[in-house]
Amino acid sequence: MTTSGTTCCEICGAEKKIAKSGGYNACPTCRVIISNIKNHPQTIKKLWPELQDEPILPKRDLKKIQEELELPEVLDGKRYMTVDRENNKWYLSVSEVDGQPVEVFASTAFDRDHELQSRISNLTTITRLISLMLRHIFLNEPLTLQKCLKQIKRSSRQRNDLPDMLYGVLNRYTDMQGKTKK
Ligand SMILES: [Zn+2]
């Protein structure tokens, strides 16, 4: 079906002579763009980073961003066994959604050592924040200060360990409204 006439271009909003192209009611300028994207994608890809100084956004970024992301109960994943410099055995697990990493976990024998609580809380902070970034990169989960703070706070195992101190400092930035600096 073809419609034409002067209304608003669905893409840029210009009031020009509109015709259907690529599924849009588009103005002449946007129709040229559509036709070039359809017919010369390699040229667009080549020129875009040069002329715009940024990569073309991957397709997944066009998806509607979900405010709260629900991960499936059971995720696919891979578990890796590795040994560090001090000869501690580590298990590194990567959970996947559609083959992309979305969460990491690390565990090691010193998990059970009570004298190493702070080391464990630092480790938990690292994996929680990496998981947050991975979900942002691969699943478009919005990355906010609130979410970072939540993960940092949950990583803390005792008062005044590193995550607890970081939480205390960064949390000041969330409720600065109406407060004066001490
Ligand atoms: Zn247009």
Side-chain angles (χ1 to χ4, degrees):
M1 196 174 78
T2 306
T3 51
S4 62
T6 305
T7 46
C8 279
C9 169
E10 268 182 8
I11 297 163
C12 71
E15 284 185 38
K16 290 182 190 165
K17 197 160 169 57
I18 302 303
K20 200 95 174 173
S21 175
Y24 291 96
N25 291 312
C27 72
T29 307
C30 291
R31 290 204 299 277
V32 171
I33 295 170
I34 290 168
S35 125
N36 281 320
I37 290 172
K38 283 170 110 176
N39 301 321
H40 307 286
Q42 293 313 319
T43 312
I44 305 260
K45 277 185 192 168
K46 182 180 183 300
L47 288 176
W48 183 277
E50 291 177 32
L51 300 179
Q52 293 295 331
D53 198 28
E54 62 172 6
I56 294 189
L57 291 176
K59 192 169 187 175
R60 61 176 170 272
D61 284 353
L62 298 173
K63 278 192 222 159
K64 194 166 161 262
I65 289 174
Q66 294 165 285
E67 200 39 58
E68 276 306 321
L69 192 97
E70 289 288 327
L71 286 178
E73 287 284 310
V74 180
L75 294 172
D76 292 334
K78 296 196 174 69
R79 196 158 102 123
Y80 301 87
M81 204 278 281
T82 178
V83 176
D84 69 15
R85 283 177 305 190
E86 289 143 31
N87 235 19
N88 299 304
K89 199 188 275 184
W90 288 79
Y91 293 100
L92 304 179
S93 306
V94 182
S95 304
E96 299 174 351
V97 169
D98 298 331
Q100 309 281 18
V102 295
E103 265 179 358
V104 290
F105 300 97
S107 60
T108 184
F110 71 62
D111 270 8
R112 286 179 290 277
D113 186 335
H114 284 269
E115 293 192 353
L116 289 164
Q117 293 292 312
S118 65
R119 212 169 145 186
I120 300 159
S121 62
N122 296 350
L123 166 70
T124 311
T125 313
I126 293 169
T127 55
R128 281 177 176 271
L129 292 180
I130 291 174
S131 298
L132 199 59
M133 287 191 284
L134 289 171
R135 291 197 299 275
H136 175 66
I137 294 167
F138 293 109
L139 300 174
N140 282 319
E141 182 179 311
L143 189 53
T144 61
L145 179 60
Q146 280 304 341
K147 287 189 178 185
C148 293
L149 285 172
K150 189 165 133 189
Q151 297 303 333
I152 293 169
K153 191 176 172 67
R154 285 182 177 178
S155 308
S156 167
R157 292 204 165 204
Q158 51 199 354
R159 207 172 139 73
N160 289 335
D161 60 8
L162 183 62
D164 186 45
M165 292 187 293
L166 280 170
Y167 177 84
V169 169
L170 288 173
N171 195 41
R172 296 166 65 97
Y173 293 88
T174 63
D175 54 13
M176 278 171 69
Q177 288 167 306
K179 291 189 185 174
T180 42
K181 206 175 161 186
K182 278 176 194 166

